[in-house]
Amino acid sequence: MAKLELRNLYKRYDNTGKKKKTVNAFAVNGLNLDCRDGEFIAMLGPSGCGKTTTLRMIAGLEKITDGEIFIGDTLVNNMHPKDRKIGLAFEDYALYPPLTVYDNIAFNLRAKGVDKAEIDRRVMEISRLLKVEELLNMMPVKLSGGQKQRVNIARAIVRRPELLLMDEPLSHLDGKMRQAMRTEIKRLHNEIKCTSVYVTHDQLEAMSLADRIAIMDLGVLQQFGTPMEVYDDPVNEFVAAFIGEPPMNILETTVIKIEDEFYFTFADSDLRILVPHRYYSKLSDGFKVKMGVRPMDLYVGKEDSKGVPERVAVFENLGDERRIGVRVGENLMMLITDDEKRYARGDVIKLEVNAEKTHLFDIQTGNRIRA
Ligand code: ATP
């Protein structure tokens, strides 16, 4: 195991004649990250945000434009990939079709000249851990997606890497299998405690697997924190909207003062939400700001509720939870309810808001305005 440190890491691709082009000047732009020994880090962000490029630079498969990468205390900038003591599991399983599962797992150990008995011991040990013992004599073509994925990961960790790098390793699996493999990866990490970097665009995967999540957009790190931190305490609108399903409702609002209280008001809507007192020192009458509130912090009030009457615009019954959308001006505001009732479009509900749970974001920069 080893810690991993990225210091001011930059990547600028030369786009000349390339099919794949970088939209921004830098695919990775001044990235600083430090992962502790044994930690499981997820790199999360939309397509093109620079996750894979970062991983490939750590692995030594992509030349870095500027910055430093340390694995343990060793600067690895100029070190050959095979000397970096890393294990790689990428989204395409890339198993060697003519080799059995056993030979696939053993391949790199043989190439390194490890003796036969030791190879056998290690292949068997890893196969038990990944539950692929029954597959060892099979050819890759006979394996299911989930089985291939297990073998792929077994092959990455059989060399006992100091650092395990995984790039969307579950992306080819269907929903159920993904969930099962997610649990397996978690279990595996608890057993081998190998420092791991896991690239994904799936926030659920990142939230359920990682000790800390690095959220990127356009090559820039937005926030690096535990799943709780990025969910409860997002630094900006991008993170707030990216984490959480359904996403946080974020609406433009004008704050108005009535008597001694401030309220969020919305264009073409009667909805008014009392602004939490902690924000009062930041506001004035007529102040324009974005307000964010998560769907689980909105409620359907009882009949005698003082909540604002709103018409149901969308109703989704997902079995164990129901989602209701109401129109607030031009926006749809979603709420989650465990209320058993089935609503129809046009029904009127009393919308209640847990105002204390609202977040504020600067209209121009998207940065969070803290109390
Ligand atoms: P995805 O999930 O779609 O793979 P990503 O977050 O992993 O996205 P990268 O693949 O790292 O993003 O790409 C970051 C940026 O660099 C994108 O704008 C991409 O088009 C660009 N890029 C990636 N590889 C190359 C390349 N070989 N040459 C030029 N530009 C590239």
Side-chain angles (χ1 to χ4, degrees):
M1 279 193 299
K3 63 181 180 169
L4 166 72
E5 220 180 308
L6 310 181
R7 288 194 198 153
N8 284 323
L9 199 60
Y10 287 86
K11 176 67 188 182
R12 185 205 286 274
Y13 285 106
D14 173 8
N15 282 334
T16 338
K18 295 263 181 66
K19 248 211 291 193
K20 207 172 181 181
K21 290 200 190 314
T22 321
V23 185
N24 304 293
F26 291 97
V28 176
N29 195 341
L31 179 59
N32 285 289
L33 210 61
D34 81 75
C35 319
R36 301 178 200 118
D37 226 0
E39 204 174 14
F40 196 115
I41 300 294
M43 295 199 66
L44 176 69
S47 183
C49 73
K51 310 176 295 286
T52 297
T53 301
T54 304
L55 206 73
R56 288 176 57 83
M57 287 194 284
I58 299 170
L61 302 173
E62 200 68 68
K63 214 167 165 303
I64 72 175
T65 304
D66 202 3
E68 292 174 318
I69 300 176
F70 289 88
I71 298 178
D73 294 320
T74 311
L75 180 67
V76 298
N77 283 29
N78 298 316
M79 192 183 269
H80 195 276
K82 73 173 170 33
D83 299 323
R84 294 191 183 198
K85 299 191 181 137
I86 47 175
L88 290 172
F90 284 167
E91 71 179 291
D92 44 354
Y93 322 111
L95 301 177
Y96 305 113
L99 303 185
T100 62
V101 167
Y102 183 104
D103 290 338
N104 262 285
I105 300 175
F107 189 87
N108 282 314
L109 297 177
R110 285 195 184 123
K112 269 172 64 185
V114 177
D115 81 67
K116 207 166 169 291
E118 175 64 8
I119 291 177
D120 198 51
R121 207 184 58 70
R122 275 160 66 173
V123 172
M124 296 317 286
E125 180 191 335
I126 286 301
S127 303
R128 260 193 304 279
L129 215 56
L130 275 142
K131 303 188 182 148
V132 294
E133 298 144 287
E134 275 90 65
L135 312 177
L136 288 173
N137 292 321
M138 286 168 72
M139 304 306 280
V141 70
K142 301 270 184 203
L143 305 181
S144 69
Q147 289 169 333
K148 280 185 195 156
Q149 217 49 266
R150 282 169 203 275
V151 177
N152 192 23
I153 296 170
R155 210 171 47 158
I157 61 175
V158 73
R159 287 190 289 173
R160 301 195 182 137
E162 298 214 326
L163 191 60
L164 179 59
L165 304 177
M166 292 172 272
D167 190 353
E168 305 260 8
L170 310 185
S171 62
H172 292 309
L173 305 182
D174 61 35
K176 238 184 176 165
M177 182 64 89
R178 258 180 110 104
Q179 204 175 341
M181 273 305 288
R182 218 163 56 206
T183 313
E184 289 294 302
I185 290 179
K186 185 100 193 157
R187 177 187 61 82
L188 186 73
H189 183 254
N190 287 339
E191 286 197 36
I192 62 172
K193 292 268 178 243
C194 180
T195 311
S196 305
V197 183
Y198 186 100
V199 160
T200 179
H201 63 271
D202 179 342
Q203 51 115 0
L204 217 107
E205 218 161 87
M207 294 289 277
S208 59
L209 281 171
D211 297 315
R212 283 192 294 168
I213 306 176
I215 300 171
M216 299 196 40
D217 186 34
L218 301 171
V220 178
L221 180 68
Q222 304 292 310
Q223 186 166 4
F224 185 36
T226 63
M228 287 285 274
E229 280 163 357
V230 296
Y231 184 85
D232 289 333
D233 200 11
V235 295
N236 59 25
E237 188 185 341
F238 177 85
V239 174
F242 202 80
I243 299 283
E245 171 49 34
M248 184 185 280
N249 298 293
I250 300 178
L251 292 90
E252 277 197 32
T253 162
T254 305
V255 173
I256 59 160
K257 193 172 188 188
I258 301 174
E259 293 169 1
D260 284 337
E261 303 285 16
F262 283 115
Y263 293 85
F264 295 116
T265 64
F266 306 87
D268 303 321
S269 165
D270 294 334
L271 182 64
R272 267 185 198 176
I273 301 171
L274 186 65
V275 177
H277 285 180
R278 62 179 186 278
Y279 293 122
Y280 277 23
S281 65
K282 313 268 172 184
L283 305 175
S284 55
D285 195 20
F287 189 77
K288 291 201 184 303
V289 71
K290 283 191 179 174
M291 183 221 67
V293 63
R294 293 213 179 270
M296 42 285 293
D297 295 320
L298 299 172
Y299 307 94
V300 178
K302 301 240 161 54
E303 295 222 331
D304 56 351
S305 154
K306 293 203 175 69
V308 184
E310 295 284 354
R311 283 197 186 282
V312 172
V314 174
F315 177 67
E316 295 169 353
N317 189 350
L318 303 182
D320 52 356
E321 76 175 36
R322 276 149 284 277
R323 298 175 178 184
I324 297 172
V326 296
R327 289 240 162 260
V328 176
E330 289 190 341
N331 299 294
L332 197 63
M333 205 166 187
M334 294 300 293
L335 70 97
I336 294 182
T337 175
D338 49 12
D339 183 350
E340 294 289 319
K341 192 170 158 193
R342 278 148 210 261
Y343 291 90
R345 229 179 117 100
D347 285 355
V348 175
I349 59 162
K350 296 275 192 70
L351 180 67
E352 289 185 5
V353 181
N354 183 351
E356 282 304 313
K357 291 287 188 87
T358 52
H359 298 285
L360 299 192
F361 303 98
D362 186 286
I363 285 203
Q364 255 78 46
T365 63
N367 287 339
R368 173 102 171 270
I369 299 174
R370 293 178 184 276

